[in-house]
Amino acid sequence: MLTLNDKFKALEADNAPGQEVRQGAGNIEAIMKGEKLEGELVDFSHGDVDAFPPTPNSEIVWKAGFDKGGAQAYTEYRGALEIRQILAKRLGKFSGYPIEADTELILTPGTQGALFLALGATVTNGTKVAVVEPDYFANRKLVKFFGGEVVPITLNYLNTQAENGIDLNQLETAFKNGTEVFVFSTPNNPTGHVYSKEIINKIAVLADTYNVTIIVDQLYSRMLYSNESYTHIRACEVRPENLITIMGPSKTESLSGYRLGTAFGTSTIIERMERLQAIVSLRAAGYNQAVLKTWFNEPEGWMDNRISEHEIIRDKLLAIFRNANFKVATPQAGSYLFPKLPQLSISLDNFVKLLRFQASVIVTPASEFAPHLNDSIRLNFSQDHDKAIAAAQRIVKMVEIYKL
């Protein structure tokens, strides 16, 4: 059993996105080669909401929630019923299966809050949890925090063949050996991989067969690039009895500052999540909940334009890295690139620090997403176009300086 110190050590935050200020330069100057590279600071650890501002009218809708006063400030712990009713219809249509607003949907402080509640409602001491590697950095950390046992499942994201994706035999073996929960993201964070219809349907069947709870993070499922398709596990002919889907408007819609998320699915798990939320944060911020009315209700063409702008940046960054012999999969959705670097003469941690100190570029090391990965970095390319291109070029220059 983990000690209290072990539990909180599992939540290490210094290398988490947005926490680069805590890392410090240390003795990095002692190993630095050459001069600092000229360029404006670009923070690839998260999206730039100045370059891609929030959905139109979000501040007006927020003000309406504020003006509503106490009725909006102190909603039910699972969120205002009026807003849940609106979202149940929109999310049910989007995900391909109806949602009961009263019992199957909860509003949370961001999708991070939803993930915490979902794992807290399903994981206890000794629970075996299948966790994809690489995948969102909080999955593994929260499983350990709640006392669960991580069962790693490999994602073959660099494989360009038809078998690209997770090893279903490995997943079934984990289920046979007592895994009770499977948590994963699709589109995958950090690689942008979208699980195929065949894979999603097989996951659903396996989970149903072995009575495994599924927690699926679909945060980027609206930002699909040209000719890509998406399969919601809720829409499968065979659905697991225990299934929670997590979504929110923080990324694609740039509403991260409002800290809003949702989780929907099996009513008994949603009820547990509400009980946990009632003592952790009470509710998603009351006034902010009103902003969810803008979600799936953007002006005509707004989403298509946003996807198109991101696709242009994605393709230019891919060209820069591939021309420099970086291995990098093409993201099918979302705004993340996960390039594998050529072999370096220094550690990945030191290279990441040097990027910030010498090249004014902030990235997230791959070790946040899979503990064994020490040769890749994650970039959120939801950035100003020209600044992102220039920053990628500086990354290439830095690799030239520090490669073996």
Side-chain angles (χ1 to χ4, degrees):
M1 183 178 296
L2 291 178
T3 67
L4 193 60
N5 283 339
D6 289 336
K7 284 169 66 75
F8 281 90
K9 187 177 181 181
L11 300 182
E12 164 62 50
D14 285 359
N15 285 318
Q19 298 301 308
E20 65 285 340
V21 69
R22 303 172 63 169
Q23 296 166 13
N27 296 321
I28 211 67
E29 286 184 275
I31 65 170
M32 188 178 82
K33 299 178 183 178
E35 300 297 323
K36 290 189 178 182
L37 305 182
E38 292 295 329
E40 190 172 347
L41 176 68
V42 173
D43 187 349
F44 283 121
S45 72
H46 52 75
D48 183 349
V49 297
D50 295 321
F52 289 99
T55 49
N57 299 321
S58 58
E59 73 282 8
I60 295 173
V61 177
W62 178 88
K63 181 63 164 54
F66 175 82
D67 291 342
K68 192 173 181 179
Q72 186 63 48
Y74 295 99
T75 68
E76 295 177 64
Y77 292 140
R78 66 177 60 195
L81 177 59
E82 173 199 5
I83 296 170
R84 283 187 285 124
Q85 288 172 333
I86 292 170
L87 293 184
K89 293 179 181 178
R90 295 175 184 175
L91 291 169
K93 181 180 180 180
F94 179 71
S95 65
Y97 195 76
I99 299 169
E100 292 293 332
D102 287 342
T103 59
E104 296 179 340
L105 174 65
I106 184 171
L107 312 185
T108 60
T111 53
Q112 183 87 359
L115 180 65
F116 179 91
L117 298 176
L119 288 169
T122 56
V123 177
T124 189
N125 288 332
T127 303
K128 291 185 176 181
V129 184
V131 177
V132 172
E133 294 183 348
D135 209 328
Y136 183 52
F137 70 91
N139 294 354
R140 182 180 74 256
K141 295 180 180 184
L142 286 176
V143 169
K144 291 182 177 180
F145 180 78
F146 287 119
E149 176 186 340
V150 172
V151 180
I153 306 296
T154 302
L155 177 66
N156 299 310
Y157 61 95
L158 283 173
N159 191 333
T160 58
Q161 305 303 314
E163 63 267 23
N164 189 17
I166 62 170
D167 185 334
L168 288 170
N169 291 327
Q170 186 184 30
L171 187 65
E172 183 170 16
T173 298
F175 288 1
K176 284 181 179 179
N177 291 337
T179 291
E180 299 176 55
V181 179
F182 177 36
V183 57
F184 70 106
S185 61
T186 177
N188 173 263
N189 177 355
T191 70
H193 174 77
V194 175
Y195 286 61
S196 69
K197 181 178 182 179
E198 179 184 15
I199 293 291
I200 288 293
N201 275 280
K202 287 182 177 178
I203 289 172
V205 170
L206 288 174
D208 180 68
T209 301
Y210 294 99
N211 193 30
V212 172
T213 297
I214 297 291
I215 299 172
V216 56
D217 174 354
Q218 297 187 171
L219 184 55
Y220 284 95
S221 54
R222 297 186 75 192
M223 188 180 279
L224 293 176
Y225 295 121
S226 302
N227 303 315
E228 298 292 350
S229 60
Y230 192 90
T231 300
H232 297 270
I233 197 166
R234 286 173 52 82
C236 293
E237 185 175 343
V238 175
R239 283 183 302 279
E241 181 177 348
N242 293 312
L243 170 63
I244 294 294
T245 300
I246 294 172
M247 286 188 64
S250 63
K251 302 301 185 185
T252 301
E253 301 83 355
S254 299
L255 293 170
S256 54
Y258 291 103
R259 303 307 308 145
L260 294 167
T262 67
F264 46 98
T266 306
S267 59
T268 53
I269 299 178
I270 295 295
E271 181 181 359
R272 289 183 198 167
M273 292 172 67
E274 182 182 34
R275 291 182 181 183
L276 183 55
Q277 179 155 280
I279 61 169
V280 173
S281 59
L282 296 179
R283 59 183 62 80
Y287 299 145
N288 292 5
Q289 290 180 33
V291 177
L292 287 167
K293 293 179 180 180
T294 69
W295 195 23
F296 286 88
N297 193 37
E298 301 85 8
E300 184 176 355
W302 184 90
M303 183 62 68
D304 289 339
N305 183 65
R306 174 145 295 194
I307 292 172
S308 175
E309 290 179 327
H310 280 78
E311 190 165 10
I312 290 170
I313 299 173
R314 179 201 70 169
D315 290 347
K316 289 189 177 180
L317 294 184
L318 284 171
I320 289 170
F321 290 131
R322 287 173 176 164
N323 287 338
N325 296 317
F326 290 31
K327 292 183 179 179
V328 55
T330 300
Q332 298 167 274
S335 60
Y336 293 119
L337 278 185
F338 198 59
K340 182 176 181 179
L341 307 176
Q343 194 169 3
L344 302 173
S345 60
I346 57 176
S347 71
L348 180 64
D349 283 347
N350 279 337
F351 182 72
V352 168
K353 289 179 181 179
L354 281 164
L355 275 178
R356 178 167 58 89
F357 181 77
Q358 187 174 354
S360 298
V361 178
I362 297 171
V363 299
T364 308
S367 54
E368 283 295 308
F369 310 98
H372 66 281
L373 288 180
N374 58 9
D375 58 1
S376 302
I377 54 176
R378 191 198 72 171
L379 291 74
N380 186 324
F381 58 85
S382 186
Q383 309 288 335
D384 175 87
H385 173 278
D386 294 342
K387 293 177 184 178
I389 301 305
Q393 291 167 340
R394 294 200 298 277
I395 292 174
V396 170
K397 289 180 181 178
M398 289 288 288
V399 167
E400 285 297 316
I401 295 171
Y402 292 100
K403 74 178 181 180
L404 280 177

